[in-house]
Amino acid sequence: MSDTKYTPPKVWVWDKESGGKFANINRPIAGATHNKELPVGEHPLQLYSLATPNGVKVTVMLEELLALGHTGAEYDAWLINISNGDQFSSGFVEVNPNSKIPALLDRSTNPATRVFESGSILLYLAEKFKAFLPTDPAKRTETLSWLFWQMGSAPMLGGGFGHFYAYAPEKYEYPINRYAMEVKRQLDVLDRQLADHEYISGSEYTIADMAIWPWYGALVTNKVYEAAEFLEAHTYTNVLRWTHEIAKRPAVIRGRMVNRAWGEPNEQVLERHSASDFDGKAI
């Protein structure tokens, strides 16, 4: 990148040497780069993921379902290392043509049902097990509004602020200021909502909380981007209250560990096939 003013060419050309943390896996085309089948375990639900915020949404949901006694939610979670390009295998592309984690294969149906995009997976599981999504039409609509708020807002946080603040090869004032302003606005939206509600969409813990917490809870507690001080996260007191309360839930603690390949060893469960995989972990 250069300090000089950029004038876009008439036709954009892919620059493989553009840099950045994920430059080695970013490309302007879809499809598989290599042939490799996905592993399959014994449970009806097969999850292919990594413990990024989007991946944590789904593992938290599955662990919460199991905590409620939904034995049909037993699952195998397989690690997809996105830094190595696992998401571009032919097997993964068959489950998610967009090559993004997480991806779910439900083998309890015939034929098996593929589900991709984290919000879609949360909604699919909520409807399948009739849990964490209110049945009252007004409350259901409120929950879905917040679920889709997250899906539309988080790209500004991750692909916008997170990229330019933490991952870009060089730091530039304009994009950092632009996305910092938007992220602070989003935090204010959440803080105002949580001032009058225990959970995001009301008095019930729902898939809206499971979608929003891995992103914004991690942000205000400095677990992503190391930007809590920069964004004055301590001023969003209602978001912090909600963040800490959800973090105490046993299913959330377990869900954060699944497909986690960094941090302390006792906080990592690279693959999850049964509850015994958490034995000896920091729960």
Side-chain angles (χ1 to χ4, degrees):
M1 296 179 69
S2 170
D3 290 334
T4 60
K5 182 179 178 180
Y6 173 65
T7 301
K10 290 184 177 181
V11 177
W12 181 81
V13 177
W14 181 23
D15 179 5
K16 295 183 180 181
E17 304 301 324
S18 60
K21 182 174 180 179
F22 300 105
N24 65 315
I25 59 169
N26 290 333
R27 59 195 184 115
I29 54 175
T33 60
H34 59 285
N35 291 321
K36 184 178 180 181
E37 294 184 2
L38 291 175
V40 178
E42 64 179 28
H43 298 303
L45 299 177
Q46 300 294 302
L47 179 67
Y48 304 95
S49 191
L50 182 69
T52 65
N54 285 333
V56 167
K57 296 176 194 176
V58 177
T59 49
V60 164
M61 175 63 162
L62 289 166
E63 291 298 328
E64 292 282 13
L65 289 168
L66 291 171
L68 279 184
H70 292 286
T71 57
E74 276 291 352
Y75 68 105
D76 293 284
W78 304 94
L79 181 68
I80 299 296
N81 190 325
I82 61 174
S83 295
N84 292 344
D86 292 352
Q87 70 274 32
F88 299 118
S89 73
S90 56
F92 191 89
V93 171
E94 286 181 7
V95 181
N96 184 358
N98 196 39
S99 292
K100 302 289 185 181
I101 63 94
L104 181 74
L105 190 65
D106 183 358
R107 299 192 303 153
S108 71
T109 64
N110 188 16
T113 301
R114 74 176 188 183
V115 196
F116 56 92
E117 292 298 325
S118 56
S120 178
I121 296 173
L122 290 178
L123 182 56
Y124 178 83
L125 293 172
E127 292 182 332
K128 180 180 180 71
F129 294 101
K130 297 179 173 57
F132 301 113
L133 181 61
T135 56
D136 174 80
K139 293 180 179 179
R140 173 187 170 88
T141 300
E142 181 75 4
T143 298
L144 293 180
S145 291
W146 284 105
L147 173 65
F148 287 103
W149 176 89
Q150 187 279 321
M151 300 301 291
S153 297
M156 300 289 281
L157 169 56
F161 176 77
H163 174 77
F164 286 105
Y165 184 82
Y167 298 144
E170 299 176 28
K171 286 181 167 53
Y172 286 92
E173 182 178 2
Y174 175 77
I176 291 175
N177 282 347
R178 170 66 181 88
Y179 289 112
M181 177 178 65
E182 171 60 16
V183 169
K184 285 181 70 67
R185 189 195 68 82
Q186 293 175 3
L187 288 170
D188 194 43
V189 169
L190 293 175
D191 205 60
R192 290 170 185 266
Q193 175 70 5
L194 289 165
D196 300 319
H197 301 89
E198 182 178 4
Y199 296 108
I200 290 294
S201 61
S203 60
E204 297 180 52
Y205 174 63
T206 69
I207 56 174
D209 299 282
M210 297 178 203
I212 296 170
W213 181 85
W215 278 104
Y216 295 88
L219 180 68
V220 297
T221 52
N222 213 40
K223 292 182 171 62
V224 293
Y225 312 136
E226 297 184 351
E229 181 180 8
F230 179 74
L231 296 170
E232 295 183 297
H234 68 279
T235 64
Y236 302 100
T237 55
N238 300 309
V239 176
L240 285 166
R241 183 269 306 164
W242 166 83
T243 295
H244 293 315
E245 288 180 4
I246 290 180
K248 296 176 185 176
R249 296 178 68 91
V252 172
I253 295 171
R254 292 192 297 273
R256 285 190 67 245
M257 294 182 181
V258 178
N259 298 142
R260 186 177 179 86
W262 57 87
E264 296 298 324
N266 67 346
E267 295 179 343
Q268 298 180 32
V269 176
L270 296 182
E271 293 182 2
R272 190 269 188 209
H273 305 291
S274 72
S276 64
D277 292 324
F278 297 104
D279 292 349
K281 300 297 180 178
I283 297 179

